[in-house]
Amino acid sequence: MQREGSPWRGLSVVYFRELFDHLTSVRMLVLQFLVVLLGGAVVYFAAEQIRNTTAEDPFLFLRLFAPPGQSLLSFVLVLSILVPILAIGLGFDAINGEYNRRTMSRILAQPIYRDALLFGKFLAGLSTIAIALVTLWLLVIGFGLLRLGVPPSGEEIGRLFIFLLVTIAYAGIWLALAVTFSVFFRSTATAALVALGLWLFLALLWPALAQMLGEVISPSDIRFAQLGLPTPDTLAWQQGLSRVSPGTLYGEAVVAMLNPDAQSMTTLLAQFQGRIGAPLPLDQSIMQAWPQMVSLIAGTILLYVIGYVAFQRQEVRA
Amino acid sequence: MSDNVIEAQGLTKRYGGIAAVDGVSFTVGRGEIFGLLGPNGAGKTTTILMMLGLTEVTAGSVSVLGHDPAREPLQVKRVVGYLPDSVGFYDHMTARDNLRYTAALIGIEPADRDKRIAAALDRVGLPDVGEKKVGAFSRGMRQRLGLAEILMKDVSIAILDEPTSGLDPHATHELLETIRSLKHDGVAVLLSSHLLERVQSVCDRVALFNAGRIALLGTVPELARQVLGGGYNVEVEADGEGLGVLFSDIPGVKAVDQAGPSRYRLLADRDVRAQAAAAVVNGGGALRRLSVEEPSLEAIYSRYFDNQALQQQATSQVNNHAA
């Protein structure tokens, strides 16, 4: 059965209203304040650290975002924790909030499709986060220029730009999750708690659990263990499982982009073969992070579609 | 096409196996006020949602100004205004901004918007609170704001779900006045309610819902004749000889009760005050008082359900005997 009219009718109306709402809301103000405060502190200390090192480094600017070595807190780590909170905070009451305010049936009685309402809300949330992230990104680069006194190279800007896009995609997957939960749970509190619970589970417990599960599914081979090496099959399972968490995907993509001399699994292999050396060029880094980036975007689309289908089939009356 | 703006034929909605609305058929004419009445959970809101294309029709068909709400929802929603049961607005926005948002969704030209919003707010009696946040509005004000939205939309059909529930008598009166003015503009109004007395005064025709079906359909006097077998109670106080016989000869009178030495109660299927007065005067009597009680929807309603219950009892007794 063909529907008459465009599903996008009213999309821009919903989009701009929601965007305006987000940008002026107290909720967004608090979240943004948190991000700027934590991000600022972390970047400041990273800059201090960089100023104290005298060694020549072709990627000085990238160190501002992801300091080398075992730094306790990096800007990237702060983002990987705060971006999900930001996204869940903006999306958890997208649909159920309309039901609770009893505005849903009134809005849907206007000549628009449900598509426009859901997509407008999702896009507005994503734009809000994107605006916040771009602002933050520019602030950090500006701060770096002032504090380090070295302009970033073209390659560094390219890497940082892709890092920005990956971060927005990372926000997208959490926003899609939050919006989908807001379709499934009629109570906003339940939706927020379930989304935050899932985030905590994936961020804190899942990495350890993935290690254990990998060991169970494909036990380590004693011969590799004697050599002090991980068993390739076990390692593959563990990595595959841990990549269920968007945080892992994001971390891997960011490391590839911001640490050109990082040792990922493929470079680990190269290391054995004695091919360690120069940092990867930009295009190779992109190749390396490509599967993770695609996974993040695909996950966003998948979660959104689940929410979309559920929303289309939902009864309007409470 | 006929002059009907809404035509429903065997409209059915099932949730799981249970029929919320079961084979409902009715029509609403242009500029008519049509009441959907019945207890809570009788299927009134579900019927309304099907007319708006907001819920899928299981069986049967409905046509709104010639459009099928399931296939052409945008066309239908362009010409229909809907005021949901306990309507909600965005509390942090002003009344005017709430209406501006809907106006944009409807697609009213930006140049036109503010003018139409101001006119609509004026008409529902909220001209001064346009810049106030809706969060501070009372229930009655929200209801009126919802009506303003329909007025602004300039529709040919207005569907109001329980518009009077939870309103004080004064607010109810004002709301009903606005509904009458809608009819005056040629807008067909379909309203659902379980408050019969209020609705009776504005509705041209009513449909009484019971358990997903339309039990009775027609104008209030028609229903009264059908259910009460009359409905008009004429009370006469008069002195005279043999008045009771004279009264019972009046066409339309079904029964005459003598309530006191000079008090009579006439049960009739129409207003027979004039004839009764003539009978008293012609019979040489002295008329002291004459009054009529019009048939109330409330009486029709409770009588109908009493009858239903009696019938059910009877059938179950018959069944018990059979077993």
Side-chain angles (χ1 to χ4, degrees):
Chain A
M1 188 164 81
Q2 185 76 39
R3 289 193 307 189
E4 141 272 353
S6 159
W8 308 122
R9 202 181 171 281
L11 177 65
S12 67
V13 179
V14 175
Y15 172 76
F16 282 112
R17 196 198 78 86
E18 293 287 328
L19 190 63
F20 178 79
D21 257 18
H22 283 326
L23 292 178
T24 53
S25 72
V26 178
R27 188 193 302 173
M28 187 62 203
L29 207 68
V30 170
L31 289 170
Q32 180 110 37
F33 180 73
L34 205 67
V35 173
V36 169
L37 197 73
L38 270 172
V42 166
V43 168
Y44 177 79
F45 286 117
E48 290 306 299
Q49 204 184 341
I50 292 168
R51 276 159 68 90
N52 291 336
T53 48
T54 46
E56 200 177 319
D57 192 337
F59 298 110
L60 209 57
F61 240 82
L62 300 186
R63 309 292 179 231
L64 206 55
F65 288 81
Q70 298 302 311
S71 176
L72 203 58
L73 260 184
S74 67
F75 183 68
V76 166
L77 191 66
V78 167
L79 276 190
S80 77
I81 293 169
L82 287 184
V83 161
I85 295 180
L86 203 64
I88 292 171
L90 288 179
F92 77 95
D93 64 346
I95 297 301
N96 48 19
E98 297 277 341
Y99 284 111
N100 293 344
R101 278 190 299 252
R102 298 187 153 276
T103 43
M104 183 57 95
S105 52
R106 191 174 58 84
I107 295 302
L108 288 184
Q110 309 310 330
I112 58 161
Y113 281 114
R114 296 184 190 193
D115 308 44
L117 189 69
L118 190 69
F119 198 51
K121 277 173 176 284
F122 177 76
L123 274 189
L126 196 60
S127 301
T128 308
I129 299 174
I131 290 170
L133 288 175
V134 168
T135 316
L136 197 63
W137 186 79
L138 288 172
L139 277 176
V140 172
I141 289 183
F143 173 81
L145 279 173
L146 287 175
R147 200 72 190 144
L148 301 180
V150 190
S153 68
E155 189 185 334
E156 278 178 306
I157 287 294
R159 285 176 179 277
L160 286 175
F161 183 67
I162 293 168
F163 157 71
L164 180 67
L165 294 185
V166 171
T167 308
I168 292 172
Y170 178 56
I173 199 166
W174 286 107
L175 185 66
L177 182 89
V179 168
T180 298
F181 280 174
S182 84
V183 173
F184 280 108
F185 301 104
R186 275 294 161 91
S187 148
T188 52
T190 311
L193 276 177
V194 172
L196 283 173
L198 189 63
W199 167 66
L200 275 176
F201 172 75
L202 286 175
L204 294 179
L205 297 179
W206 185 248
L209 215 58
Q211 299 297 317
M212 283 157 60
L213 282 174
E215 193 70 44
V216 170
I217 295 168
S218 165
S220 295
D221 194 319
I222 189 78
R223 286 167 294 176
F224 283 97
Q226 275 171 347
L227 287 170
L229 291 172
T231 314
D233 276 355
T234 315
L235 199 60
W237 268 105
Q238 287 170 340
Q239 276 197 327
L241 284 171
S242 72
R243 280 175 186 150
V244 168
S245 165
T248 308
L249 291 173
Y250 175 66
E252 287 180 356
V254 165
V255 164
M257 292 322 299
L258 296 186
N259 273 350
D261 33 24
Q263 293 166 0
S264 77
M265 260 320 284
T266 40
T267 48
L268 200 64
L269 193 67
Q271 210 178 3
F272 285 129
Q273 297 165 342
R275 281 197 279 120
I276 187 134
L280 284 175
L282 178 57
D283 58 335
Q284 289 305 310
S285 285
I286 293 175
M287 289 289 282
Q288 205 181 26
W290 191 249
Q292 278 82 357
M293 293 194 252
V294 170
S295 302
L296 282 175
I297 294 168
T300 305
I301 294 172
L302 182 73
L303 284 170
Y304 179 82
V305 165
I306 292 172
Y308 173 84
V309 170
F311 183 46
Q312 290 287 348
R313 293 170 171 274
Q314 203 160 47
E315 290 294 336
V316 169
R317 65 189 312 179
Chain B
M1 209 188 92
S2 64
D3 221 25
N4 288 334
V5 289
I6 299 176
E7 293 183 2
Q9 267 301 321
L11 209 52
T12 301
K13 174 73 184 179
R14 281 192 203 94
Y15 291 109
I18 301 146
V21 175
D22 192 3
V24 162
S25 303
F26 62 92
T27 58
V28 180
R30 200 171 294 279
E32 185 182 26
I33 302 183
F34 188 84
L36 297 180
L37 310 177
N40 296 325
K44 298 175 308 243
T45 302
T46 309
T47 308
I48 287 172
L49 292 179
M50 283 193 282
M51 283 187 277
L52 285 163
L54 290 182
T55 192
E56 277 175 48
V57 176
T58 312
S61 70
V62 60
S63 137
V64 178
L65 282 170
H67 300 291
D68 176 358
R71 280 171 184 273
E72 305 163 294
L74 298 193
Q75 291 285 356
V76 169
K77 291 180 200 170
R78 237 169 242 134
V79 293
V80 178
Y82 176 45
L83 179 69
D85 185 8
S86 58
V87 62
F89 288 91
Y90 299 105
D91 285 349
H92 63 281
M93 284 161 65
T94 65
R96 212 177 290 268
D97 281 344
N98 263 296
L99 291 189
R100 279 197 190 111
Y101 179 46
T102 331
L105 286 178
I106 296 165
I108 298 174
E109 291 300 315
D112 247 13
R113 265 175 222 166
D114 283 359
K115 213 167 53 198
R116 274 165 78 167
I117 290 170
L121 284 176
D122 245 10
R123 224 176 124 183
V124 297
L126 295 174
D128 305 325
V129 295
E131 295 308 324
K132 290 229 171 73
K133 299 238 161 100
V134 179
F137 276 27
S138 69
R139 197 187 157 101
M141 286 164 89
R142 279 164 206 263
Q143 216 76 339
R144 280 195 272 172
L145 191 57
L147 268 182
E149 188 179 279
I150 293 175
L151 291 170
M152 169 191 82
K153 198 170 173 181
D154 199 11
V155 294
S156 18
I157 302 170
I159 298 180
L160 317 174
D161 197 355
E162 300 280 2
T164 56
S165 75
L167 296 189
D168 61 63
H170 181 66
T172 308
H173 177 75
E174 281 184 345
L175 194 95
L176 294 179
E177 279 310 308
T178 316
I179 292 173
R180 280 203 190 92
S181 79
L182 275 172
K183 175 192 166 75
H184 197 71
D185 297 345
V187 177
V189 181
L190 191 140
L191 72 147
S192 89
S193 181
H194 63 270
L195 296 172
L196 307 170
E197 199 189 331
R198 290 285 166 196
V199 168
Q200 179 177 8
S201 59
V202 292
C203 284
D204 296 321
R205 281 195 306 143
V206 298
L208 270 174
F209 270 69
N210 181 32
R213 293 166 190 271
I214 292 183
L216 295 165
L217 178 76
T219 64
V220 175
E222 270 172 27
L223 295 188
R225 237 178 323 233
Q226 227 172 304
V227 176
L228 302 178
Y232 286 87
N233 266 319
V234 178
E235 285 207 29
V236 188
E237 258 187 62
D239 292 329
E241 295 293 316
L243 286 179
V245 183
L246 286 173
F247 288 145
S248 55
D249 287 344
I250 298 169
V253 172
K254 306 258 178 189
V256 180
D257 272 354
Q258 185 148 15
S262 52
R263 290 177 63 183
Y264 302 88
R265 179 187 283 263
L266 279 56
L267 185 66
D269 60 6
R270 66 192 89 142
D271 189 353
V272 292
R273 272 179 299 176
Q275 290 89 327
V280 172
V281 174
N282 291 343
L287 183 64
R288 293 180 202 279
R289 195 170 73 89
L290 189 60
S291 69
V292 67
E293 242 177 70
E294 283 187 19
S296 88
L297 209 44
E298 199 106 29
I300 298 170
Y301 190 75
S302 48
R303 175 70 70 86
Y304 177 77
F305 285 111
D306 284 351
N307 289 350
Q308 290 294 100
L310 281 175
Q311 270 174 19
Q312 262 174 13
Q313 258 180 13
T315 29
S316 64
Q317 270 172 8
V318 168
N319 288 346
N320 286 346
H321 281 298

